Amino acid sequence: DTGVSQDPRHKITKRGQNVTFRCDPISEHNRLYWYRQTLGQGPEFLTYFQNEAQLEKSRLLSDRFSAERPKGSFSTLEIQRTEQGDSAMYLCASSSRRDTLPRYNEKLFFGSGTQLSVL
Amino acid sequence: AQKITQTQPGMFVQEKEAVTLDCTYDTSDQSYGLFWYKQPSSGEMIFLIYQGSYDEQNATEGRYSLNFQKARKSANLVISASQLGDSAMYFCAMREGFGGGYNKLIFGAGTRLAVHP
């Protein structure tokens, strides 16, 4: 396994610009999650994909946010008209049934994240 | 609503000593899972250990053990024989909901551990 890969590692943008992040999960992991982590806080759930289907979106994901996972492989997270409050680390995680813990719990494998700074 | 509380923003420990990182949780579910993840400065979250609410034994994974006290709703992480590479942020997390399906985690604010030589 090569691990979860996220690109870019860092993104600096001006307020009002659109940005897109990419996540490549561990191959054969059918479950993919996006989390957001602000400074001094733990990650917060944003959205979940099972294969190509987006099954849940947090209310944190405003209309300016859109996530896709075409063909059930890599995923993209786009933020339109960025605001300074969008500045955060965006983490992607993947999992599969192979990594099942008791009672349907799973290990999540996280990428190193994309650090977004909105000026 | 479920909630995870980590009251120690930062902890220091001498190399080779043991350290306990505190975690309390709040849930009305009878069945739940508790997790600890480590986040080094590189950013990725690394799974350390899992404890199920119905597990009678405390979970152990190498130098990591979980001191699970269900009545007190605490799930403290114990790291034995600390190493310099243990310096990182540590997050306690709980799975929202239970049963089959995906694992949506709720995280605490984290504890920054510094291991001194």
Side-chain angles (χ1 to χ4, degrees), chain B:
Chain B
Q2 293 165 308
K3 185 179 179 181
I4 296 285
T5 302
Q6 295 180 255
T7 57
Q8 306 156 313
M11 289 285 286
F12 295 90
V13 66
Q14 205 74 24
E15 194 178 9
K16 298 181 185 177
E17 292 185 349
V19 63
T20 297
L21 306 183
D22 294 342
C23 171
T24 58
Y25 60 91
D26 190 18
T27 181
S28 57
D29 292 336
Q30 295 301 308
S31 177
Y32 49 88
L34 295 158
F35 304 77
W36 278 91
Y37 280 81
K38 170 184 178 182
Q39 187 177 41
S41 57
S42 52
E44 80 277 23
M45 304 278 285
I46 302 168
F47 168 82
L48 295 179
I49 196 166
Y50 159 81
Q51 177 82 44
S53 59
Y54 285 107
D55 295 338
E56 295 185 356
Q57 302 275 351
N58 284 342
T60 59
E61 289 282 353
R63 295 187 298 111
Y64 304 108
S65 60
L66 204 151
N67 184 359
F68 181 49
Q69 297 186 46
K70 193 171 181 178
R72 297 181 60 187
K73 292 190 174 180
S74 74
N76 299 337
L77 177 70
V78 180
I79 305 174
S80 63
S82 298
Q83 301 172 356
L84 296 179
D86 293 334
S87 294
M89 285 289 293
Y90 288 81
F91 291 94
C92 181
M94 169 183 284
R95 179 186 172 188
E96 184 175 304
F98 59 94
Y102 59 97
N103 278 226
K104 176 178 168 183
L105 297 181
I106 299 167
F107 288 85
T111 296
R112 180 171 297 282
L113 176 66
V115 180
H116 292 173

Side-chain angles (χ1 to χ4, degrees), chain A residues 65-82:
Chain A
F65 288 72
S66 63
E68 295 182 340
R69 193 182 182 196
K71 304 178 183 177
S73 56
F74 71 92
S75 176
T76 58
L77 178 67
E78 180 183 14
I79 308 175
Q80 296 181 328
R81 304 181 303 282
T82 52

Side-chain angles (χ1 to χ4, degrees), chain A residues 60-97:
Chain A
L60 293 176
L61 226 58
S62 74
D63 291 344
R64 297 184 298 105
F65 288 72
S66 63
E68 295 182 340
R69 193 182 182 196
K71 304 178 183 177
S73 56
F74 71 92
S75 176
T76 58
L77 178 67
E78 180 183 14
I79 308 175
Q80 296 181 328
R81 304 181 303 282
T82 52
E83 302 173 355
Q84 288 185 325
D86 297 332
S87 295
M89 172 80 85
Y90 290 84
L91 292 162
C92 176
S94 68
S95 68
S96 79
R97 286 185 173 274

